[in-house]
Amino acid sequence: MIFKTWRNLSSSVVRFCVNDGPAQVINGCYNAYSMIYRGQLSLGLPVSKALIVSQEEIRNSAVQKLALVLFHIYLSATRQQIPRPRIKRVISDALKKGRLRLTENAIFLTEAQLTDLSLKRFGIPEPDMGKILEIARRRRILIEWLRTEPGPIYFESEIEEKEHNGRGDYETVYYRNYTDEGKEIGFRRMVSIEGVTAGDNRPAVVLIPGFANNSNCFNISDRYSLAKDMADNDQWVYLFDPRGVGVNQGRFDPLYTVDTMIDYDLSTLVRFIHKRSCGKPSVLVGHSMGGLVAENMVLNWALASRLPEIDHLEPQQKEVLDQVLPSATAADSYLKMVRGIVSLGSPKFFHKQSHVFFPTSLWLNHLSRTFRFRQVPVKEISRILTELPVLKQITRLIANHNVGDLNFLISPENHRDDKYFVERYLKTATESIPLGLGFQCLKAIYNGKGFKRMDGSRLNYSDCLPWFPEDIPVFHFWGTRDNLVPLENLRYRKFYPHQIKKIYHLNATSDLDRIDITAERSQLIDFVIEGANHLDLLYGKLADEIVTPLLMRIIEKVWGNWSYDGSGAHPAENLKAVAS
């Protein structure tokens, strides 16, 4: 008894020295810094221009760009030189009155909007409209063009054979599409070559990576690959990469945020799958921030379809959201594209004092802006930690022994057969993040009240859970040792509107036998995995024995008896497209 007490006391002292104490000191310094932050801008200290640019500047820039394009379109089609200042005034007036919409940092038009502007505001003769619309499509300023003619999509594929990987035969296809605001976005699809066929009714699953990760986190190696596990289970697996990372490297956007992923990139992939497979919905599986993005995308659609009746929001918030969310009709159609959602260690809020990682991240983001970096250098720091001789040994020590509870990635006992897992993960899956995303996460961590939108609505996603669609089932996985996602997040489960709510605590594989997952649409189930840290929900012993088998059961149950016959599309029609 005395020995146990002494051991616990020693552990607490070590944790305070290497984690709790430094976290309090760094947070205290940040508190003092934040008090003078506003003054920093007025003093002219070096701060990234991208993060202090005003909405007015963004709007003016978008107006100028569209005005220049319209000037050349009218000149080419009609030989009329309509003064650019006049075009700019008309566009600005339409924006103020809500007739046009600013999408991120660009203005795209529908054919109806361009026709209305041309005929009524600029007096263009109606016979010239055919040529004007043709040029506008070619110049890619029309929303209809972006959605119906996204350009080349199937442009590359890779084949992995079991003779080389020891698992199975897989095909990975690379796609690209355009978001509603005209940004190119790429993604991958992995399947077992003999497990699926064009036009089948097998599930489509979208894997969404977490903060500072690319989609390689789902396919680190043949040993650590949730993507291949799902492909082996005869599922159509799509790997989502945020803008600027993974297959989207080279298209980096410093203003990229959680909102951008929700509003544009992930929704583009979900709609792409639905259209290309002639009506097939998707099961969304997200790790960490990926689960948060998946849930809040669906939540946004639910808000859009019922915006006038939601009394929780102020009129000013509704006005802003009305400009950025899809129409009620579109939102209703999008909601039918999601079959279910699974989140693995996805927070609703944070405890900034729970780990030294959080305040360090706050400072890292500010330093990145001060030194005019285009991104928060997460990948570069990971490389230093895993390659420099001394730091490499320290990283290994923390990863394999969890000194002072400092290891916020894994519980070492779940990875005893691989002492170098953390190094392999950091090298393969981590990515540097845009400054905008770092700033949004910084604010979420600092106020401890969840993610708020970065636009004028200041919408707190966690406050809107009562409006989540109750006919889309949701499944949450939590780890008892996850310092990044405290179990207090379970308190938010009461706000979901689902009729069936359950919570399971799993300590061993035998606990899987008592779990009851039905085909009921209105269900919310939380799984608490004993001994799991943040990455243990994806890799290692607990993932292999508990999480992954449970995931397969969930997807099969959620998918249920879905078929094209019941969705209005016929399998024969699907064979005309490249399936799923």
Side-chain angles (χ1 to χ4, degrees), residues 223-224 400 410-421 424 539-542 544-545:
R223 165 72 177 83
Y224 304 107
N400 293 318
I410 65 170
S411 294
E413 55 266 33
N414 292 318
H415 301 265
R416 296 202 181 281
D417 61 339
D418 187 354
K419 300 296 184 181
Y420 307 108
F421 163 73
R424 190 176 296 112
Y539 319 102
K541 182 179 179 182
L542 288 175
D544 293 341
E545 296 180 356

Side-chain angles (χ1 to χ4, degrees), residues 417-453:
D417 61 339
D418 187 354
K419 300 296 184 181
Y420 307 108
F421 163 73
V422 171
E423 294 174 42
R424 190 176 296 112
Y425 162 79
L426 292 174
K427 289 179 180 179
T428 305
T430 56
E431 291 273 2
S432 295
I433 60 172
L435 294 175
L437 179 58
F439 185 59
Q440 187 173 24
C441 291
L442 177 155
K443 297 178 70 176
I445 294 168
Y446 190 64
N447 65 30
K449 296 180 181 178
F451 281 87
K452 291 184 178 180
R453 286 188 64 93

Side-chain angles (χ1 to χ4, degrees), residues 399-498:
N400 293 318
H401 297 90
N402 198 16
V403 178
D405 206 19
L406 201 60
N407 190 336
F408 62 90
L409 294 177
I410 65 170
S411 294
E413 55 266 33
N414 292 318
H415 301 265
R416 296 202 181 281
D417 61 339
D418 187 354
K419 300 296 184 181
Y420 307 108
F421 163 73
V422 171
E423 294 174 42
R424 190 176 296 112
Y425 162 79
L426 292 174
K427 289 179 180 179
T428 305
T430 56
E431 291 273 2
S432 295
I433 60 172
L435 294 175
L437 179 58
F439 185 59
Q440 187 173 24
C441 291
L442 177 155
K443 297 178 70 176
I445 294 168
Y446 190 64
N447 65 30
K449 296 180 181 178
F451 281 87
K452 291 184 178 180
R453 286 188 64 93
M454 295 286 281
D455 58 26
S457 73
R458 311 303 301 141
L459 177 75
N460 189 327
Y461 293 111
S462 300
D463 290 342
C464 299
L465 292 175
W467 287 275
F468 196 93
E470 64 175 325
D471 59 344
I472 294 181
V474 178
F475 304 85
H476 297 143
F477 284 77
W478 313 95
T480 58
R481 295 188 184 176
D482 192 346
N483 285 322
L484 302 187
V485 186
L487 287 180
E488 291 94 317
N489 276 276
L490 283 167
R491 72 188 188 208
Y492 285 93
R493 67 192 309 274
K494 65 183 179 183
F495 299 114
Y496 287 83
H498 298 79

Side-chain angles (χ1 to χ4, degrees), residues 92-110:
S92 296
D93 181 65
L95 275 176
K96 290 178 182 177
K97 295 179 179 178
R99 294 171 183 165
L100 297 182
R101 175 175 166 180
L102 178 65
T103 307
E104 199 179 51
N105 58 356
I107 303 170
F108 288 88
L109 306 174
T110 64

Side-chain angles (χ1 to χ4, degrees), residues 225-238:
S225 181
L226 180 60
K228 288 177 180 173
D229 291 339
M230 290 182 166
D232 290 341
N233 209 37
D234 299 339
Q235 296 166 3
W236 298 86
V237 183
Y238 290 84

Side-chain angles (χ1 to χ4, degrees), residues 21 56-57 62 84 128 208 279-280 302 307 315 382 386 431 446 448 502 523:
E56 184 178 0
E57 289 176 291
R84 278 200 303 124
D128 292 330
I208 310 150
K280 181 176 284 189
L307 196 58
S382 297
T386 56
E431 291 273 2
Y446 190 64
K502 300 177 183 177
Q523 64 175 321

